[in-house]
Amino acid sequence: MIVSDKDVAKVEDTVKEYQHIVSNEYKTSDPSIVIKAENLGKGSHEVLDKESAEKAVMMLLNIPNGIQSMSADIKGLVETSLNMGALKVLEDGIHAIFAVRSSVETAKASICDRLISMMEFLGGKVEFTGAYPGWEYKKDSELRETVIRVFEKQYNKKPIIEAIHAGLECGMFSEKIEDLDCVSIGPDMKGVHTVDERLSISSVERTWNLLLEVLKESK
């Protein structure tokens, strides 16, 4: 495929126009979003044929993405979601990488089935790796009440009890131990999973003391 200077200029103008549209649309939720096209000069490159390009566009327009359902038990908590973390065009095809999350195992399986259905319909395939089991919220948790009681006794204030939409090891334990009652506790951390990650040493001591007392109360 031979691309003329006129074609390059048209692509650059289209990208600039789309950048303006997207910047205005996401000026509040994502003000730093950037879309750009870079001219790498002339050369010979493999490109998608028309059918492959149409399938790629069809996939991007119709594949599930983002929040799929909210928790019925905890207001404002996302229950099930997925997001495309990367999209690559490689020699053997187009690769889309998704992170699928849910506190409900059947809901997560349903999303995975939708991904399989879409990709296989378009002639592709799906592989799953590093899955985290769902960890459902337990309304009646004796352990949670014990942790709250011990915390209040040690620090004379109520702890902040939160549910988050993220993968935790508790799901792996609860998947293998039927009716397991478990909570997640830990020290204060900032900038997690970044080069700025920090751990409060004093909060490690507080967490350790809390854990020891909870174990005593749980005998």
Side-chain angles (χ1 to χ4, degrees):
M1 180 178 181
I2 299 176
V3 179
S4 66
D5 292 338
K6 185 178 180 181
D7 293 326
V8 172
K10 185 177 180 180
V11 170
E12 291 175 342
D13 289 341
T14 300
V15 170
K16 289 179 181 178
E17 180 182 357
Y18 195 61
Q19 168 73 65
H20 177 73
I21 294 172
V22 171
S23 295
N24 182 65
E25 184 175 345
Y26 293 95
K27 59 187 176 184
T28 301
S29 61
D30 195 353
S32 61
I33 192 169
V34 174
I35 302 173
K36 67 178 182 179
E38 185 177 356
N39 189 343
L40 300 178
K42 296 181 179 180
S44 178
H45 304 280
E46 294 288 335
V47 297
L48 298 176
D49 58 29
K50 183 178 180 181
E51 181 181 359
S52 297
E54 289 176 346
K55 286 183 177 181
V57 171
M58 193 271 193
M59 182 269 290
L60 291 171
L61 290 176
N62 293 280
I63 205 77
N65 191 63
I67 296 173
Q68 301 298 301
S69 61
M70 303 294 290
S71 171
D73 295 308
I74 303 175
K75 185 178 180 180
L77 176 67
V78 176
E79 178 192 89
T80 305
S81 76
L82 74 163
N83 67 285
M84 183 187 296
L87 182 68
K88 302 177 181 179
V89 180
L90 304 177
E91 290 184 1
D92 62 340
I94 297 175
H95 293 243
I97 302 174
F98 287 85
V100 182
R101 307 177 185 87
S102 181
S103 57
V104 179
E105 193 65 20
T106 52
K108 187 179 71 173
S110 176
I111 292 297
C112 292
D113 287 342
R114 290 174 65 186
L115 291 176
I116 293 172
S117 178
M118 170 66 76
M119 295 305 185
E120 290 186 347
F121 177 79
L122 294 172
K125 62 180 181 179
V126 176
E127 296 178 357
F128 294 100
T129 60
Y132 264 88
W135 176 27
E136 293 190 44
Y137 171 73
K138 192 172 184 178
K139 289 184 178 180
D140 301 316
S141 169
E142 183 178 346
L143 178 58
R144 184 172 64 242
E145 293 306 313
T146 300
V147 173
I148 293 173
R149 185 172 64 254
V150 171
F151 186 95
E152 290 179 342
K153 184 171 67 175
Q154 287 184 334
Y155 303 111
N156 296 316
K157 63 179 180 179
K158 292 183 178 294
I160 298 174
I161 306 299
E162 293 181 324
I164 61 173
H165 186 58
L168 287 174
E169 289 75 8
C170 292
M172 295 182 176
F173 290 112
S174 61
E175 179 189 43
K176 299 183 182 300
I177 304 174
E178 188 175 356
D179 295 325
L180 177 68
D181 188 3
C182 57
V183 300
S184 175
I185 63 173
D188 297 332
M189 301 181 71
K190 297 180 179 180
V192 179
H193 302 318
T194 73
V195 295
D196 295 320
E197 183 170 325
R198 297 291 185 272
L199 171 67
S200 168
I201 296 176
S202 60
S203 72
V204 172
E205 182 180 13
R206 292 195 298 271
T207 302
W208 175 248
N209 292 333
L210 175 66
L211 175 60
L212 292 180
E213 194 62 31
V214 168
L215 290 174
K216 290 179 183 179
E217 296 248 352
S218 301
K219 287 183 178 180

